[in-house]
Short mmCIF file of all heavy atoms in Angstrom, two decimals:
data_model
loop_
_atom_site.label_atom_id
_atom_site.label_comp_id
_atom_site.label_asym_id
_atom_site.label_seq_id
_atom_site.Cartn_x
_atom_site.Cartn_y
_atom_site.Cartn_z
N ASP A 1093 123.93 135.49 176.27
CA ASP A 1093 122.57 135.15 176.26
C ASP A 1093 122.04 134.84 174.83
O ASP A 1093 120.84 135.10 174.60
CB ASP A 1093 121.78 136.31 176.85
CG ASP A 1093 121.94 137.55 175.98
OD1 ASP A 1093 122.76 137.66 175.12
OD2 ASP A 1093 121.17 138.50 176.34
N ASN A 1094 122.86 134.29 173.94
CA ASN A 1094 122.37 134.13 172.56
C ASN A 1094 122.89 132.79 172.05
O ASN A 1094 123.76 132.18 172.68
CB ASN A 1094 122.78 135.30 171.76
CG ASN A 1094 121.74 135.64 170.73
OD1 ASN A 1094 120.91 134.80 170.34
ND2 ASN A 1094 121.80 136.88 170.22
N TYR A 1095 122.43 132.45 170.91
CA TYR A 1095 122.90 131.37 170.14
C TYR A 1095 123.05 131.62 168.61
O TYR A 1095 122.37 132.43 168.12
CB TYR A 1095 121.91 130.21 170.24
CG TYR A 1095 121.83 129.52 171.60
CD1 TYR A 1095 120.86 129.87 172.48
CD2 TYR A 1095 122.90 128.57 171.97
CE1 TYR A 1095 120.79 129.31 173.79
CE2 TYR A 1095 122.82 128.06 173.34
CZ TYR A 1095 121.75 128.42 174.11
OH TYR A 1095 121.69 127.97 175.43
N ILE A 1096 124.11 130.95 168.04
CA ILE A 1096 124.27 130.94 166.63
C ILE A 1096 123.86 129.46 166.21
O ILE A 1096 124.34 128.54 166.77
CB ILE A 1096 125.64 131.23 166.25
CG1 ILE A 1096 126.03 132.70 166.66
CG2 ILE A 1096 125.88 131.16 164.73
CD1 ILE A 1096 127.48 133.04 166.59
N TRP A 1097 123.00 129.38 165.25
CA TRP A 1097 122.55 128.02 164.88
C TRP A 1097 123.32 127.47 163.65
O TRP A 1097 123.57 128.33 162.73
CB TRP A 1097 121.15 127.97 164.73
CG TRP A 1097 120.34 128.27 166.00
CD1 TRP A 1097 119.95 129.45 166.44
CD2 TRP A 1097 119.99 127.32 166.95
NE1 TRP A 1097 119.35 129.28 167.66
CE2 TRP A 1097 119.24 127.89 167.94
CE3 TRP A 1097 120.07 125.87 166.91
CZ2 TRP A 1097 118.77 127.26 169.07
CZ3 TRP A 1097 119.57 125.21 168.03
CH2 TRP A 1097 118.91 125.93 169.09
N THR A 1098 123.61 126.26 163.53
CA THR A 1098 124.15 125.64 162.35
C THR A 1098 123.28 124.44 162.05
O THR A 1098 122.73 123.74 162.88
CB THR A 1098 125.61 125.14 162.50
OG1 THR A 1098 125.63 124.09 163.50
CG2 THR A 1098 126.48 126.30 162.86
N LEU A 1099 123.07 124.26 160.75
CA LEU A 1099 122.27 123.03 160.28
C LEU A 1099 123.15 122.44 159.25
O LEU A 1099 123.50 123.12 158.19
CB LEU A 1099 120.98 123.45 159.77
CG LEU A 1099 120.01 122.43 159.35
CD1 LEU A 1099 119.66 121.54 160.50
CD2 LEU A 1099 118.75 122.95 158.78
N ALA A 1100 123.57 121.15 159.45
CA ALA A 1100 124.52 120.47 158.49
C ALA A 1100 123.97 119.16 158.09
O ALA A 1100 123.19 118.49 158.72
CB ALA A 1100 125.86 120.37 159.21
N ASP A 1101 124.46 118.75 156.87
CA ASP A 1101 124.15 117.45 156.36
C ASP A 1101 125.27 116.49 156.70
O ASP A 1101 126.26 116.92 157.41
CB ASP A 1101 123.89 117.44 154.80
CG ASP A 1101 125.06 117.81 153.96
OD1 ASP A 1101 126.16 117.88 154.50
OD2 ASP A 1101 124.96 118.04 152.77
N ASP A 1102 125.24 115.25 156.33
CA ASP A 1102 126.21 114.27 156.71
C ASP A 1102 127.58 114.55 156.19
O ASP A 1102 128.59 114.11 156.66
CB ASP A 1102 125.79 112.88 156.33
CG ASP A 1102 124.59 112.37 157.15
OD1 ASP A 1102 124.45 112.84 158.25
OD2 ASP A 1102 123.77 111.49 156.65
N ASP A 1103 127.67 115.30 155.06
CA ASP A 1103 128.98 115.63 154.40
C ASP A 1103 129.56 116.94 155.00
O ASP A 1103 130.62 117.34 154.53
CB ASP A 1103 128.74 115.84 152.87
CG ASP A 1103 128.35 114.54 152.16
OD1 ASP A 1103 128.83 113.42 152.60
OD2 ASP A 1103 127.58 114.65 151.26
N GLY A 1104 128.90 117.50 156.03
CA GLY A 1104 129.41 118.75 156.67
C GLY A 1104 129.05 119.98 155.96
O GLY A 1104 129.43 121.11 156.48
N ARG A 1105 128.26 119.97 154.90
CA ARG A 1105 127.80 121.21 154.28
C ARG A 1105 126.79 121.79 155.32
O ARG A 1105 125.87 121.11 155.73
CB ARG A 1105 127.13 120.94 153.00
CG ARG A 1105 128.07 120.40 151.90
CD ARG A 1105 127.36 120.14 150.63
NE ARG A 1105 126.48 119.09 150.89
CZ ARG A 1105 125.54 118.56 150.03
NH1 ARG A 1105 125.51 119.03 148.75
NH2 ARG A 1105 124.75 117.53 150.32
N ALA A 1106 126.99 123.07 155.49
CA ALA A 1106 126.16 123.73 156.56
C ALA A 1106 125.63 125.06 156.21
O ALA A 1106 126.22 125.82 155.31
CB ALA A 1106 126.97 123.77 157.89
N ILE A 1107 124.58 125.42 156.85
CA ILE A 1107 124.12 126.84 156.91
C ILE A 1107 124.34 127.34 158.23
O ILE A 1107 124.30 126.55 159.26
CB ILE A 1107 122.59 127.03 156.45
CG1 ILE A 1107 121.69 126.22 157.38
CG2 ILE A 1107 122.42 126.64 154.97
CD1 ILE A 1107 120.22 126.61 157.17
N VAL A 1108 124.62 128.60 158.32
CA VAL A 1108 124.84 129.22 159.71
C VAL A 1108 123.72 130.38 159.83
O VAL A 1108 123.58 131.18 158.87
CB VAL A 1108 126.26 129.91 159.76
CG1 VAL A 1108 126.43 130.66 161.05
CG2 VAL A 1108 127.29 128.76 159.63
N VAL A 1109 123.11 130.44 160.90
CA VAL A 1109 122.08 131.40 161.08
C VAL A 1109 122.50 132.41 162.15
O VAL A 1109 122.91 132.09 163.22
CB VAL A 1109 120.72 130.72 161.58
CG1 VAL A 1109 119.63 131.74 161.72
CG2 VAL A 1109 120.30 129.65 160.64
N ASP A 1110 122.57 133.64 161.67
CA ASP A 1110 122.81 134.81 162.58
C ASP A 1110 124.20 134.73 163.17
O ASP A 1110 124.27 134.72 164.47
CB ASP A 1110 121.61 135.05 163.58
CG ASP A 1110 120.40 135.57 162.98
OD1 ASP A 1110 120.46 136.09 161.86
OD2 ASP A 1110 119.39 135.33 163.60
N PRO A 1111 125.27 134.73 162.43
CA PRO A 1111 126.61 134.63 163.03
C PRO A 1111 127.14 135.94 163.60
O PRO A 1111 127.90 136.68 163.09
CB PRO A 1111 127.53 134.14 161.86
CG PRO A 1111 126.82 134.84 160.73
CD PRO A 1111 125.38 134.75 161.03
N GLY A 1112 126.58 136.26 164.88
CA GLY A 1112 126.95 137.47 165.53
C GLY A 1112 128.37 137.49 165.85
O GLY A 1112 129.00 138.59 166.00
N ASP A 1113 128.94 136.45 166.28
CA ASP A 1113 130.38 136.36 166.75
C ASP A 1113 131.13 135.37 165.88
O ASP A 1113 130.94 134.13 165.87
CB ASP A 1113 130.36 135.82 168.19
CG ASP A 1113 131.68 135.78 168.84
OD1 ASP A 1113 132.68 135.79 168.13
OD2 ASP A 1113 131.77 135.65 170.13
N ALA A 1114 131.96 135.90 164.99
CA ALA A 1114 132.74 135.21 164.04
C ALA A 1114 133.61 134.13 164.72
O ALA A 1114 133.71 133.00 164.23
CB ALA A 1114 133.54 136.06 163.13
N ASP A 1115 134.27 134.45 165.79
CA ASP A 1115 135.13 133.47 166.45
C ASP A 1115 134.42 132.14 166.76
O ASP A 1115 134.96 131.08 166.64
CB ASP A 1115 135.80 134.06 167.77
CG ASP A 1115 136.79 135.14 167.35
OD1 ASP A 1115 137.21 135.19 166.22
OD2 ASP A 1115 137.05 135.93 168.25
N VAL A 1116 133.18 132.26 167.33
CA VAL A 1116 132.46 131.06 167.71
C VAL A 1116 132.21 130.20 166.46
O VAL A 1116 132.39 128.98 166.38
CB VAL A 1116 131.08 131.48 168.29
CG1 VAL A 1116 130.17 130.34 168.42
CG2 VAL A 1116 131.32 132.20 169.61
N VAL A 1117 131.79 130.84 165.36
CA VAL A 1117 131.53 130.06 164.09
C VAL A 1117 132.83 129.55 163.48
O VAL A 1117 132.87 128.32 163.06
CB VAL A 1117 130.81 131.03 163.07
CG1 VAL A 1117 130.62 130.26 161.78
CG2 VAL A 1117 129.47 131.51 163.66
N LEU A 1118 133.88 130.35 163.43
CA LEU A 1118 135.13 129.88 162.83
C LEU A 1118 135.64 128.61 163.58
O LEU A 1118 136.19 127.75 162.88
CB LEU A 1118 136.11 130.96 162.74
CG LEU A 1118 135.67 132.20 161.92
CD1 LEU A 1118 136.78 133.39 162.06
CD2 LEU A 1118 135.47 131.86 160.52
N ARG A 1119 135.62 128.62 164.89
CA ARG A 1119 135.98 127.38 165.59
C ARG A 1119 135.23 126.19 165.19
O ARG A 1119 135.72 125.11 164.98
CB ARG A 1119 135.92 127.63 167.12
CG ARG A 1119 137.06 128.35 167.75
CD ARG A 1119 137.06 128.34 169.25
NE ARG A 1119 135.79 128.82 169.80
CZ ARG A 1119 135.60 130.08 170.17
NH1 ARG A 1119 136.47 131.08 169.87
NH2 ARG A 1119 134.42 130.46 170.68
N GLU A 1120 133.99 126.32 165.02
CA GLU A 1120 133.09 125.30 164.67
C GLU A 1120 133.40 124.76 163.23
O GLU A 1120 133.45 123.59 162.99
CB GLU A 1120 131.64 125.63 164.78
CG GLU A 1120 130.59 124.57 164.55
CD GLU A 1120 130.59 123.55 165.70
OE1 GLU A 1120 131.08 123.79 166.78
OE2 GLU A 1120 130.05 122.49 165.47
N MET A 1121 133.55 125.73 162.40
CA MET A 1121 133.88 125.34 160.95
C MET A 1121 135.25 124.75 160.84
O MET A 1121 135.43 123.89 160.03
CB MET A 1121 133.66 126.55 160.15
CG MET A 1121 132.30 127.09 160.06
SD MET A 1121 131.08 125.96 159.65
CE MET A 1121 129.57 126.65 160.56
N ASP A 1122 136.18 125.10 161.61
CA ASP A 1122 137.53 124.61 161.57
C ASP A 1122 137.45 123.11 162.02
O ASP A 1122 138.37 122.33 161.65
CB ASP A 1122 138.51 125.32 162.45
CG ASP A 1122 138.91 126.65 161.81
OD1 ASP A 1122 138.68 126.86 160.57
OD2 ASP A 1122 139.49 127.46 162.49
N ALA A 1123 136.45 122.71 162.73
CA ALA A 1123 136.32 121.34 163.18
C ALA A 1123 135.59 120.44 162.20
O ALA A 1123 135.42 119.30 162.42
CB ALA A 1123 135.48 121.30 164.56
N GLY A 1124 135.29 121.03 160.93
CA GLY A 1124 134.88 120.18 159.92
C GLY A 1124 133.64 120.62 159.16
O GLY A 1124 133.36 120.03 158.09
N LEU A 1125 132.84 121.53 159.65
CA LEU A 1125 131.73 122.03 158.94
C LEU A 1125 132.13 122.86 157.79
O LEU A 1125 133.00 123.77 157.99
CB LEU A 1125 130.64 122.68 159.85
CG LEU A 1125 130.00 121.66 160.90
CD1 LEU A 1125 128.96 122.45 161.64
CD2 LEU A 1125 129.34 120.59 160.16
N LYS A 1126 131.37 122.80 156.73
CA LYS A 1126 131.65 123.66 155.49
C LYS A 1126 130.40 124.54 155.20
O LYS A 1126 129.49 124.06 154.67
CB LYS A 1126 132.00 122.79 154.35
CG LYS A 1126 133.14 121.82 154.54
CD LYS A 1126 133.11 120.88 153.42
CE LYS A 1126 133.71 119.48 153.86
NZ LYS A 1126 132.77 118.54 154.19
N PRO A 1127 130.49 125.82 155.62
CA PRO A 1127 129.35 126.63 155.37
C PRO A 1127 129.02 126.96 153.97
O PRO A 1127 130.04 127.30 153.21
CB PRO A 1127 129.63 127.95 156.19
CG PRO A 1127 131.12 127.94 156.39
CD PRO A 1127 131.52 126.52 156.33
N VAL A 1128 127.89 126.77 153.50
CA VAL A 1128 127.57 127.12 152.05
C VAL A 1128 126.64 128.32 152.07
O VAL A 1128 126.53 129.00 151.04
CB VAL A 1128 126.89 125.99 151.38
CG1 VAL A 1128 127.96 124.81 151.17
CG2 VAL A 1128 125.67 125.47 152.06
N ALA A 1129 126.02 128.70 153.24
CA ALA A 1129 125.11 129.81 153.27
C ALA A 1129 125.11 130.42 154.67
O ALA A 1129 125.26 129.69 155.66
CB ALA A 1129 123.72 129.41 152.83
N ILE A 1130 124.85 131.65 154.74
CA ILE A 1130 124.66 132.36 155.95
C ILE A 1130 123.32 133.01 155.88
O ILE A 1130 123.09 133.82 154.97
CB ILE A 1130 125.78 133.49 156.20
CG1 ILE A 1130 127.14 132.74 156.32
CG2 ILE A 1130 125.38 134.27 157.51
CD1 ILE A 1130 128.34 133.81 156.28
N LEU A 1131 122.43 132.66 156.83
CA LEU A 1131 121.14 133.26 156.88
C LEU A 1131 120.99 134.29 157.98
O LEU A 1131 121.47 133.98 159.13
CB LEU A 1131 120.04 132.17 157.06
CG LEU A 1131 120.00 131.01 156.09
CD1 LEU A 1131 119.01 130.01 156.48
CD2 LEU A 1131 119.88 131.53 154.64
N VAL A 1132 120.56 135.47 157.64
CA VAL A 1132 120.53 136.57 158.62
C VAL A 1132 119.02 136.90 158.80
O VAL A 1132 118.38 137.27 157.81
CB VAL A 1132 121.28 137.84 158.05
CG1 VAL A 1132 121.28 138.86 159.14
CG2 VAL A 1132 122.70 137.45 157.70
N THR A 1133 118.61 136.84 160.13
CA THR A 1133 117.15 137.05 160.38
C THR A 1133 116.78 138.53 160.57
O THR A 1133 115.74 138.93 160.40
CB THR A 1133 116.73 136.22 161.54
OG1 THR A 1133 117.42 136.64 162.69
CG2 THR A 1133 117.00 134.74 161.27
N HIS A 1134 117.82 139.33 161.03
CA HIS A 1134 117.56 140.75 161.25
C HIS A 1134 118.90 141.47 161.44
O HIS A 1134 119.94 140.83 161.61
CB HIS A 1134 116.59 141.03 162.32
CG HIS A 1134 117.00 140.67 163.79
ND1 HIS A 1134 116.97 139.42 164.26
CD2 HIS A 1134 117.46 141.42 164.75
CE1 HIS A 1134 117.41 139.43 165.45
NE2 HIS A 1134 117.71 140.63 165.80
N HIS A 1135 118.86 142.75 161.64
CA HIS A 1135 120.08 143.64 161.47
C HIS A 1135 120.81 143.86 162.85
O HIS A 1135 121.85 144.52 162.82
CB HIS A 1135 119.68 145.01 160.94
CG HIS A 1135 118.85 145.83 161.86
ND1 HIS A 1135 117.48 145.73 161.89
CD2 HIS A 1135 119.22 146.78 162.72
CE1 HIS A 1135 117.05 146.62 162.79
NE2 HIS A 1135 118.09 147.30 163.28
#
Side-chain angles (χ1 to χ4, degrees):
D1093 62 351
N1094 216 337
Y1095 291 96
I1096 297 167
W1097 293 90
T1098 63
L1099 186 61
D1101 67 11
D1102 292 334
D1103 295 325
R1105 293 176 298 178
I1107 60 169
V1108 178
V1109 181
D1110 291 338
D1113 183 340
D1115 291 339
V1116 170
V1117 177
L1118 297 177
R1119 279 192 303 273
E1120 186 71 16
M1121 298 306 152
D1122 286 345
L1125 291 183
K1126 302 171 213 93
V1128 296
I1130 298 168
L1131 303 179
V1132 182
T1133 63
H1134 66 281
H1135 71 273

